[in-house]
């Protein structure tokens, strides 16, 4: 037993796997790799730190600038709304759009401006970050330019509609609730978009008008409208009496509800618009609230007709009027004299009669 223990103690130990397998890194190789990594980090840490600080500075400046620009745009929009509220209800406010219309327009303008500002600021910051990593931006910019040109040619109608919509909103050419004539369609505006404007026609139909297709716009709701009424009377009527009657109607109408709000100026007699043999036309005009001219014209005609009937002034038109004391016209006055050919015994009728064919009997 003792000899067995001595043999076991005197036997040589077996070699470790790391000493025989070259694929397993040794402690010396690991130490050498760690030294190389440490030296590489020591040589480049300043460069990477500078790049990281530069990227962080660019992002911070871009974020701060974006917040500042968006806040400035918001303040500007709020100031526009306060200005609209200050003039609302005054004489100047009547010539401008209402507060709700200004608010919707300012919100649309603010949304577009904030989106454009964010795109420009963040896009510029992204390019600066790529340049910090020493990435060549020339191919990227060239590719973006070619892609932009291709998209511009392929979607030029879409770009035209979008730009036209932006300028329509910025210039406040029309808004929701306005009655406009866009050339291709007319009606009340129910929605204004950057690409399409929706109109409701007189018969209830909805028109979708592309902003790029609108060449001219007639806004019937901004500023004020003009109501014009032509009163046709006999040329024998007393003009002073006609004028006094119309002035009385105008004064009474201007003091009654709701016409005192719809009339933005006095009802004026402009004078004689035309003088004919059987009639003369007196022109009456008034400045009204936008879109209320037709209502004022109809009410004014109604009141003038009642007033003229009470004063014995006849309104004529269409078939020429005939006075009661004038003799009735001869119905045969417009007929020509009978022709000589109408009498069968006249020489003209005998000469024009066909000849009798000769007899063929033997």
């Amino acid at each position: 037993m003792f000899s067995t223990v001595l043999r076991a103690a005197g036997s040589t130990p077996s070699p470790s796997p790391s000493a025989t397998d070259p694929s397993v890194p040794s402690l010396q190789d690991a130490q050498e790799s760690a030294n190389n990594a440490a030296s590489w980090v020591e040589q480049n840490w300043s460069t990477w730190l500078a790049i990281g600080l530069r990227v962080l500075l660019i992002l911070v400046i871009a974020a701060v600038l974006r917040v500042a620009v968006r806040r400035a745009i918001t303040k500007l929009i709020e100031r526009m709304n306060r200005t609209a509220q200050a003039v609302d209800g005054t004489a100047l406010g009547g010539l401008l759009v209402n507060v709700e219309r200004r608010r919707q327009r300012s919100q649309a303008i603010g949304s577009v401006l904030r989106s454009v500002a964010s795109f420009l600021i963040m896009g510029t910051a992204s390019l600066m970050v790529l340049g910090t990593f020493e990435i060549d931006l020339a191919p990227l910019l060239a590719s973006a330019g070619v892609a932009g040109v291709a998209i511009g040619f392929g979607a030029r109608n879409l770009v035209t509609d979008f730009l036209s919509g932006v300028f329509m909103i910025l210039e406040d050419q029309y808004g929701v609730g306005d009655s406009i004539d866009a050339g291709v369609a007319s009606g009340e505006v129910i929605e204004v978009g950057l690409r399409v404007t929706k109109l409701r026609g007189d018969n209830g139909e909805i028109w979708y008008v592309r902003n790029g297709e609108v060449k001219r716009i007639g806004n019937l709701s901004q500023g004020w409208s003009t109501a014009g009424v032509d009163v046709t009377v006999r040329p024998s009527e007393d003009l002073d009496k006609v004028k006094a009657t119309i002035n009385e109607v105008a004064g009474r109408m201007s003091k009654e509800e709701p016409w005192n709000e719809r009339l933005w100026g006095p009802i004026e007699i402009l004078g004689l618009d035309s003088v004919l043999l059987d009639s003369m036309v007196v022109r009456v005009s008034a400045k009204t609230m936008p879109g209320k001219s037709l209502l004022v014209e109809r009410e004014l005609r109604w009141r003038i007709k009642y007033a003229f009937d009470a004063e014995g002034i006849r309104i004529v038109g269409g078939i020429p009027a005939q006075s009661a004391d004038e003799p009735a016209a001869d119905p045969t006055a417009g007929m020509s004299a009978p022709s000589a050919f109408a009498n069968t015994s006249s020489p003209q009728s005998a000469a024009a009669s066909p000849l009798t064919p000769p007899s063929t009997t033997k």
Side-chain angles (χ1 to χ4, degrees), residues 7 19 27 42 62 79 106 114 144 152 165 203 240 242 269 303 328 344 351-352 360 362:
R7 284 195 301 270
L27 180 60
E42 184 179 1
R79 182 174 299 180
S106 60
R114 282 190 290 266
N203 297 326
D240 294 334
V242 172
I269 300 177
R303 292 171 179 258
T344 56
T360 56
K362 295 183 179 180

Side-chain angles (χ1 to χ4, degrees), residues 333-350:
M335 301 175 57
S336 60
S339 172
F341 290 94
N343 187 4
T344 56
S345 61
S346 64
Q348 292 86 352
S349 178

Side-chain angles (χ1 to χ4, degrees), residues 97 101 104-105 161 164-182 187-199 209-212 214 216-222:
V97 291
R101 161 81 176 277
Q104 295 179 359
R105 172 175 171 262
D161 296 340
S164 299
V166 170
F167 282 106
M168 286 178 181
I169 294 176
L170 291 177
E171 297 173 359
D172 193 23
Q173 298 179 6
Y174 55 83
V176 176
D178 287 349
S179 296
I180 67 171
D181 181 3
E188 181 181 354
V189 179
I190 59 177
E191 184 178 342
V192 179
L194 294 177
R195 192 181 67 87
V196 174
T197 298
K198 293 173 63 176
L199 304 177
V209 182
R210 289 171 42 198
N211 295 330
V214 178
R216 53 93 175 160
I217 295 176
N219 196 322
L220 308 179
S221 300
Q222 287 186 357

